[in-house]
Amino acid sequence: MNLEYIDQLIEKMNKASLTELSYKDKDIDISLKREPKITTQVAQPVSKTEVTPVEKETISDTEVPEGKTIKAPMVGTFYQSPSPEADPYIQVGDKIENDTIVCILEAMKLFNEIEAEVSGEIVDILVEDGEMVEYNQPLFRVK
């Protein structure tokens, strides 16, 4: 085996974006490894999710003139039902009590059931299903 053949293997490995390549022949055993490339694509969704909820929070604050507000106790993804096939926990017009579960907030793959902590009637749902919410962002308006 010559160095030119090894160079060809390395070139093919780079073109195919491989991080590991092994070649075995009766007389030769070659194993090539390299560190994977780190991309910055992970940072892009983070900045996007930071901007969107802040804008909606400002809009939601202006839309809540009276009544009680149920706010997000944490940052997470808002879900109105326990599963995509299930009915929502609550809808506009529903009567709720302090211990009524109103939604789920998913944070770090943990699904947290959120209780109303107020009694009354749901007047408005201020966020969309599957939307990212910020800490203390208004979720529901209660009369």
Side-chain angles (χ1 to χ4, degrees):
M1 170 160 270
N2 61 21
L3 290 177
E4 187 176 306
Y5 186 71
I6 294 173
D7 287 340
Q8 289 175 356
L9 284 176
I10 292 171
E11 187 177 320
K12 288 181 181 186
M13 183 176 158
N14 286 334
K15 282 183 182 177
S17 298
L18 298 175
T19 56
E20 193 170 324
L21 177 74
S22 295
Y23 176 79
K24 215 175 218 185
D25 200 352
K26 50 185 159 182
D27 297 329
I28 300 168
D29 186 8
I30 297 175
S31 180
L32 302 171
K33 293 181 184 179
R34 67 182 170 110
E35 294 295 318
K37 292 181 182 177
I38 299 173
T39 62
T40 58
Q41 291 177 347
V42 175
Q44 292 172 350
V46 171
S47 64
K48 184 177 179 182
T49 56
E50 289 174 358
V51 172
T52 303
V54 171
E55 291 171 2
K56 293 188 184 250
E57 182 176 1
T58 305
I59 293 168
S60 297
D61 284 344
T62 60
E63 294 175 354
V64 183
E66 62 181 65
K68 302 170 191 169
T69 304
I70 300 173
K71 296 182 179 182
M74 65 182 68
V75 174
T77 305
F78 173 84
Y79 294 109
Q80 288 184 305
S81 59
S83 71
E85 302 84 30
D87 293 331
Y89 285 108
I90 59 169
Q91 297 178 356
V92 173
D94 287 354
K95 304 280 188 215
I96 59 169
E97 297 297 323
N98 291 343
D99 60 349
T100 303
I101 296 173
V102 293
C103 67
I104 291 178
L105 288 181
E106 177 191 2
M108 297 174 58
K109 302 290 182 195
L110 295 175
F111 294 87
N112 304 284
E113 293 180 334
I114 306 303
E115 293 183 353
E117 297 182 359
V118 296
S119 297
E121 179 184 338
I122 297 294
V123 178
D124 200 5
I125 301 172
L126 304 171
V127 292
E128 296 292 322
D129 194 45
E131 183 178 332
M132 276 293 296
V133 296
E134 293 286 325
Y135 169 74
N136 218 23
Q137 178 178 344
L139 304 175
F140 303 96
R141 192 171 61 188
V142 181
K143 176 171 77 168

